[in-house]
Amino acid sequence: MTTPTTLARRGEPGDCKSLAFPPTDTKVSKVEYPSRSVVLPPLRDHIGRHGRHRGNLLKGYSRRPRERRTDEVISGGVRLPPPAGQSWPPWSTSGPVLFAVDEPPPARPSDAGVVAPPADWKRAGGPGFVVHVDPVQESPLAFALSVAAGLDGRPRRLDARYLYDAVGSDLFDRITAQPEYYLTRAEDGLLAAGARAIRARAGLATLVELGSGTSTKTRRLLDAWSAAGPAAYVPVDVDLHFLTQACATLRADYPGLVIEGLGASYERALPVLADLTPKTLVFLGSSLGNLGWRAHAEFCGSVAAAMAPGDHFLVGVDLVKDAARLEAAYDDAAGVTAAFTRNLFARMNRELGTNIPLDAVRHVAFYDVERERVEIFAEALQSWELHLPALDRTFRVARGERILTEVSHKFRPEALVAMIERLGFKQVWSDVGDGTFGLFLFRRMATPLVTASSAGPLSGFPGRPAVDGRVLGAATPLALLGEMRARTLELLAPLGEDDLQRQHSRLMSPLAWDLGHIAHFEAQWLLHQGDAAAPGGAELYDPQATPRARRAELALPATAAIRRRMREVRHAVEEKLVTKPCGPGAATVAPHLLTLVAQHEAQHQETMLQALALRDDLPYRPAFVTTAPAATGSRPSTDSVLIPAGPFVMGTDDRTWAYDNERPAHQVHVPAFRLDRAPVTNRGYLAFMRDGGYQRQALWSAAGWRWLDETQARAPQHWRPGPAAPLDGRRRRGSAEEAAGEWHAVVFGRPTPLHPDAPVVHVSWFEADAYARWAGGRLPTEAEWEKAAAWDPTRGAARRYPWGDDGWAPGRANLDQRHLEPMPAGAFAAGSSAYGCQQMAGDVWEWTDTWFGGYPGYESFPYKEYSEVFFGQTYRVLRGGSFATRAMVARATFRNWDYPQRRQIFAGIRCARGA
Ligand code: TRP
C-alpha cells in the first residue's frame, strides 16, 4: 500500500497503509468508569471539590475555627460529627447555601472589577475583597438523588464531591500531611522551586485558580506574583465558606494583592473567565486525575475554550509509578484516608438519615496498573440496608460488595502534554522533579488558518462536499497535526523501551523506527520542501534504503531522543505556521502537504498497531480504547444485496486530501452483481475450515496453493488451536460448543474466544479468494466495491462515506481505534451505504480482486514513487479501512494495497456474485 512512507522514495508496500479520514471528534460524553462504561454525572457535579491540598506544611493558616476541631471525637479511626442537636456548618454542600450573598460588601479598592460576571450573580465578600456568587446553587435534595443514582448504577459508585463536607475537608487536610501521601509535598517542592520561572513565562497575568479551597498551595505562586509586580488573584471554588475564608486570610498576608473570588462550579465559572486576559489558570493537586480519563480531556477542552491566545494553563499531576507506593499513599497507616472514605457514609447517616453501620465500611485502595489509576472503594464487611427517607428508597448492599468512591488517575508526561497540546496549547515549561509528580505550564496558541494568499484555503472536494475541507479549515492545521500526534503518543504510552526498540516481526519495523520516520517525513515535507535528504536521519528513515526486513540491524537512537526530535520538528512547523500567516513573506504550507503529513502519521498508527497485534506476549490496551462493545442489537446480516447495472463515478478530483492514486474521478460502467451485506464472519470462515477449505486444491488459485504449501497455514494469522480458556469437562466431544471452542484468537496479546458473528480478520488475499470460491462467489472488483460503498443512485453522485457526506461518528462505523477488534456483523446499521451494504468502512479491510493500478488519466503526485512504482500485477487492492484506521483517512475512495500473502493487515473478506 502506498503510504506516505513510500512517498519518501520507494518503500515497501505495507509500509504505511490505512486511511485517515476527517479529524476525530474529540468530544466524548461517555466515560470509562470504573471498569465498564458508565455515564458520569455532569461535569459540574464531579469537580470543584478536589485538590484541596492545603498542606499542613504551610503554617499559620487554619481553614476552620479552632473550636470546631475540639468538638470532634476520634473513635475507631472515624472522626465523628459534633453531638446531635448542634447544627452542621452552613458550608455543607448538600444544604442550601446560607451564606449571605445579598448584602453588597463595602466598597474597597479591589472593587475595580477583575472579573465581569453576568448581572444575576451576587456580590459577597469581606473587607478588601470581592466574591462573585453564582445564583445557581445546588438543590438540598441533590445529595440524596446522587446517592440513589450511584447505587442504582452497576458497578455502584458514589459521587466523590460529597467526600468534602467540613469533616471530610478536615480529614483531607490531614491526608496531605501523612508520610505516605507524597503528592502535596512533591507539588509544593516543585512550586517553590519553579514559581519564579512560571511567573517569568506567564508575565503580568491574573492568577486564576480552579478548586482553590484554602489557597494554601497557591502561596508559592502568589509570592512570586507579588514579588514581580502588581498582582491579582481569582480563586474559584463552589464552597463559599472556604472561598471567603481563603480570601480573608490572603487579604491579611498579601496587602498589595487584588483578590476577587468566584463562588461557582468550574463549568459555570469558565465562561465567565473567558474575557479575563491575560491570565494564568492554575489546576493543582492532581485534581485532573479525579475527573476520569475521558472527562479530563473534555475538561481541558472547556479550559481551552476559556483561554485567549497568550494565556497560560498550569497543571499539577501525579505521575505513573509503582503500585505499592501508590496504594500506600491512598491507604495511610494512621487510617486517615480510611476515615475519609468512611466519613462519606457517616455523612449520609448525618444528613440523609441513613443508618449505615460505619464499622462495616472497609476502605480499599487499589491501583489498576492497566488503567493507570487508583480506585478507591468502600467495601461492605457485612450486608446492610440503606434507606433514604427523603426519596423513600431502600438499597441492599451485599457483604463483600464494593462501592467506588473516587478514582485518581496517574499520568505519563508525554500523554498529558499531547492531550493538552492537541487542544491548541504549547508546553512552555515543566518540571517533573525526580519523576514523582509533575508541573506543566502551557501557553494558549493563536489558531492561524492556512488561508494566506500563497497557500489558498483548504478547500473541500470538487464534486464532493467540503466536509474535510471545512473541518480542516475550522480546526486549523495545528489542531489537525496536534490531534494526530496526541494519538501517536497515547498509543505508545503503555510501551517500554524494549517494546519500542526491538523488531518483533520481520514484516514490521521496530516501533521506534516508525516514530523517527514520522518525524523525518514531517521535516521533509513541511520544513524542507520535500527534500528526502533533509537532515536528521535521511538514510536511516528512508524506507527504501532500509527495507523492513533489515530494520532489526539498525542502530536506532534511544526513544527519548527520537521523541525529542519529534517535538523539535513539530515546534519548528508550529513556528512556521504561526509566523505571520498573512502578509508579505508569509510562511505558509500548502494544504495538501499538511493533510499528507497528518494522514501519514495516521497511517503509521495503524501500522504500529499491526506490529503490536503480532505479539502474543504483550497484552496491550491503550487508554483511548473503549471496552464497551458497540450496540449489537440488529441480527447479523448474512444476505447479499443487488447492485443494478449502470455507470457510476469512481475516484475523485480532490487535491487536498486524496492521494494521486484516487484521481481522477472517472465514469465506470458496472454490470449488475450481488454483494454480501456484511463482511464474512468467524462463523462462516469456520464452516469453510471444517468443510476442508484448506485441504481442497480446487478452491485455491495456483499461487494460493503454493503459498499454502510453503506456509502450512491452516487458519487466519492470529487464530490458535483450542478454546481461549480450558473447556469444562461436561462439554461432549463433537458438540457444537466444542466446535466453537476449537479455535480462539490472540487479540492484542490476549487469548480471546472467537465471536461467531464478528468479521473474520487477518486473512491473506489467497485465503479470501479461496473462501469466496467455496462460498459460491468471488471477490468483488475494486469498481464494484466502490460503487456499492459510495454511489448514491438517487442523487446520481458519490458519497464521501458509505452513510453520506457527514463525518464519522461512533455509531456509523468501527473506525478510529475506538475498539481494537472488529464488531459483529450488523452492529452499524446507521452506517449503511445507499444500496444497504453494512460495515463497508471500518472493522476490516476488504480484499478486492483488482491489481493495484492507475485510473485512466492518472498523474503521479507529488512524484512517481508515491504510487506509480507499485502499479502492476504485484499488489492487490484492499478497501474500506479497519477498526485501526483513523476516521480522517477512511473516505470511500481511499485505496490500500499489499502483497496477496500478507496477513498482518486487519483484513477480511466480502464476497460478490453474479446477479
Ligand atoms: N486529588 C487527590 C488525589 O487524587 C484527591 C485524593 C487524595 C483523594 N486522597 C484521596 C480522594 C483519598 C479520595 C480519597 O490524590
Side-chain angles (χ1 to χ4, degrees), residues 49-53 160 163-164 172 175-176 181-184 284-290 318 329-332 336-338 340-341 363 365 374 376 405-410 437:
R49 303 296 307 139
H50 301 299
R52 299 192 175 287
H53 286 200
L163 289 163
Y164 298 87
F172 188 78
I175 289 175
T176 64
Y181 195 78
Y182 56 84
L183 287 79
T184 311
L284 298 176
S286 207
S287 299
L288 192 60
N290 302 126
D318 196 19
Y330 292 85
D331 194 8
D332 57 279
V336 182
T337 308
F340 182 60
T341 299
H363 163 83
V374 176
I376 295 157
T405 58
E406 182 66 295
V407 297
S408 182
H409 190 89
K410 302 305 159 190
F437 197 92

Side-chain angles (χ1 to χ4, degrees), residues 188-201:
D188 186 62
L190 296 176
L191 283 171
R196 288 183 50 199
I198 294 167
R199 170 61 177 77
R201 293 279 177 175

Side-chain angles (χ1 to χ4, degrees), residues 287-635:
S287 299
L288 192 60
N290 302 126
L291 303 177
W293 171 258
R294 289 183 194 277
H296 62 233
E298 199 176 318
F299 171 78
C300 291
S302 11
V303 169
M307 306 277 267
D311 285 352
H312 288 81
F313 183 33
L314 178 69
V315 203
V317 292
D318 196 19
L319 303 180
V320 170
K321 58 179 65 65
D322 65 285
R325 188 154 169 233
L326 282 167
E327 287 181 351
Y330 292 85
D331 194 8
D332 57 279
V336 182
T337 308
F340 182 60
T341 299
R342 223 172 274 121
N343 174 60
L344 180 54
F345 295 84
R347 180 177 179 185
M348 286 160 60
N349 288 348
R350 287 194 295 270
E351 296 180 15
L352 303 180
T354 55
N355 199 9
I356 301 159
L358 298 181
D359 46 8
V361 177
R362 187 168 86 98
H363 163 83
V364 179
F366 169 74
Y367 182 59
D368 183 330
V369 281
E370 211 172 319
R371 292 196 160 75
E372 301 188 327
R373 65 192 195 186
V374 176
E375 300 174 342
I376 295 157
F377 299 93
E379 184 184 300
L381 292 177
Q382 68 189 55
S383 68
W384 74 63
E385 274 198 356
L386 190 154
H387 179 65
L388 288 175
L391 305 174
D392 194 25
R393 293 207 49 190
T394 304
F395 300 86
R396 246 186 75 83
V397 177
R399 205 176 104 201
E401 196 173 329
R402 289 182 170 186
I403 302 173
L404 185 77
T405 58
E406 182 66 295
V407 297
S408 182
H409 190 89
K410 302 305 159 190
F411 293 83
R412 294 180 184 269
E414 322 80 56
L416 174 81
V417 169
M419 184 268 289
I420 293 181
E421 288 201 337
R422 96 206 296 181
L423 299 167
F425 292 93
K426 182 172 169 181
Q427 181 194 288
V428 291
W429 178 91
S430 74
D431 188 354
V432 296
D434 61 1
T436 299
F437 197 92
L439 272 185
F440 300 84
L441 182 69
F442 298 91
R443 184 180 168 83
R444 182 83 167 100
M445 304 304 288
T447 49
L449 293 172
V450 180
T451 48
S453 43
S454 60
L458 284 170
S459 62
F461 298 74
R464 297 199 186 210
V467 177
D468 288 344
R470 272 206 305 275
V471 170
L472 184 53
T476 83
L478 275 187
L480 177 69
L481 295 176
E483 156 62 30
M484 284 306 126
R485 180 58 44 84
R487 176 55 58 84
T488 301
L489 297 176
E490 286 165 355
L491 199 145
L492 301 170
L495 304 173
E497 186 69 7
D498 180 61
D499 298 321
L500 294 165
Q501 290 283 338
R502 265 215 347 251
Q503 186 184 35
H504 298 275
S505 157
R506 278 173 51 84
L507 290 181
M508 310 304 295
S509 316
L511 298 180
W513 187 91
D514 286 281
L515 296 181
H517 169 76
I518 286 171
H520 188 67
F521 187 84
E522 179 167 335
Q524 176 187 346
W525 288 101
L526 297 186
L527 300 175
H528 302 287
Q529 290 80 45
D531 181 2
E539 178 85 350
L540 185 58
Y541 297 121
D542 177 341
Q544 185 196 35
T546 58
R548 285 188 185 180
R550 293 217 342 257
R551 288 178 200 163
E553 308 145 21
L554 297 176
L556 290 171
T559 311
I562 297 180
R563 284 177 189 274
R564 210 176 312 123
R565 168 105 176 112
M566 291 170 82
R567 286 189 63 83
E568 282 164 11
V569 170
R570 179 57 54 87
H571 283 172
V573 168
E574 285 166 355
E575 293 301 324
K576 193 167 168 182
L577 285 170
V578 170
T579 319
K580 302 192 220 100
C582 307
T588 49
V589 177
H592 73 271
L593 293 180
L594 284 162
T595 57
L596 171 67
V597 167
Q599 294 188 81
H600 177 248
E601 186 158 347
Q603 291 171 237
H604 269 277
Q605 289 168 8
E606 181 161 355
T607 310
M608 291 191 282
L609 288 170
Q610 288 171 9
L612 286 161
L614 284 170
R615 292 190 56 182
D616 276 21
D617 59 334
L618 179 76
Y620 172 77
R621 181 168 57 208
F624 52 82
V625 167
T626 297
T627 38
T632 53
S634 38
R635 289 195 301 115

